[in-house]
Amino acid sequence: MGAYIFYTHNTFTNYHVSMAIESIAKQNQDFLFEEFIVYNNSTDIETSFITEQFDKFNLQKNFKKLSIIKSYPKTNSVPADLKYQKEHIIGHQWYFLHKADFYLPEHFLGDLCKSPPSQKNSAYYLNFCKFDLRETVGPELIREMSKFN
């Protein structure tokens, strides 16, 4: 079963986190992950805000376990963070990385869990088509765009 890494860094705000977590909750198909891992390498966002949003959107039903990474590399570099994650977040067949500025299409997680990449013998990291949470696009349009197939 897969692990879900929710990733933040200093260019994000609480708005991004809330919208990204909302996109998990608004999935229109059932899905289940072994673990929801909070990787909050941000000095601007409190980890407690992320876990409060997790609870607010009732995501416990989709994740068997909630974990928080407590130590991070001292970097502002996404590649350095990804390298650290690959080296320190282990024990799963596959990993899904969700950066907090991405709003997921409403069918994405259900489709992914129906056909996970776990049939292979080595771990996989997945990226996905995304809708950026840019200030020029309002929340309602982002939500509407997530309905496209």
Side-chain angles (χ1 to χ4, degrees), residues 31-65:
F31 66 93
L32 181 65
F33 282 82
E34 185 173 350
E35 188 172 11
F36 185 90
I37 302 165
V38 177
Y39 187 96
N40 182 24
N41 195 1
S42 171
T43 56
D44 300 329
I45 299 169
E46 297 292 329
T47 298
S48 61
F49 179 78
I50 298 169
T51 58
E52 288 166 9
Q53 293 299 298
F54 182 89
D55 291 340
K56 172 185 171 185
F57 286 105
N58 194 29
L59 295 183
Q60 302 86 342
K61 67 184 183 324
N62 300 105
F63 300 93
K64 292 182 176 183
K65 178 180 176 184

Side-chain angles (χ1 to χ4, degrees), residues 115-129:
S115 299
S118 60
Q119 290 87 13
K120 307 292 182 190
N121 292 329
S122 59
Y124 276 78
Y125 282 81
L126 303 175
N127 200 352
F128 57 95
C129 297

Side-chain angles (χ1 to χ4, degrees), residues 4-5 25 40 50 52 68 70 85 92 97 100 107 109 132:
Y4 196 107
I5 304 168
N40 182 24
I50 298 169
E52 288 166 9
I68 299 168
K70 296 187 188 232
Q85 290 171 22
H92 301 280
L97 176 64
H107 57 85
L109 295 176
D132 283 324

Side-chain angles (χ1 to χ4, degrees), residues 68-122:
I68 299 168
I69 302 297
K70 296 187 188 232
S71 63
Y72 307 95
K74 298 210 181 303
T75 183
N76 290 327
S77 164
V78 171
D81 272 330
L82 297 178
K83 182 177 186 290
Y84 185 87
Q85 290 171 22
K86 185 176 179 186
E87 293 170 353
H88 292 89
I89 301 174
I90 58 174
H92 301 280
Q93 290 181 317
W94 57 278
Y95 302 85
F96 177 70
L97 176 64
H98 184 173
K99 282 181 65 213
D101 60 341
F102 298 176
Y103 197 95
L104 300 175
E106 65 182 8
H107 57 85
F108 184 80
L109 295 176
D111 288 348
L112 176 63
C113 288
K114 282 181 193 170
S115 299
S118 60
Q119 290 87 13
K120 307 292 182 190
N121 292 329
S122 59

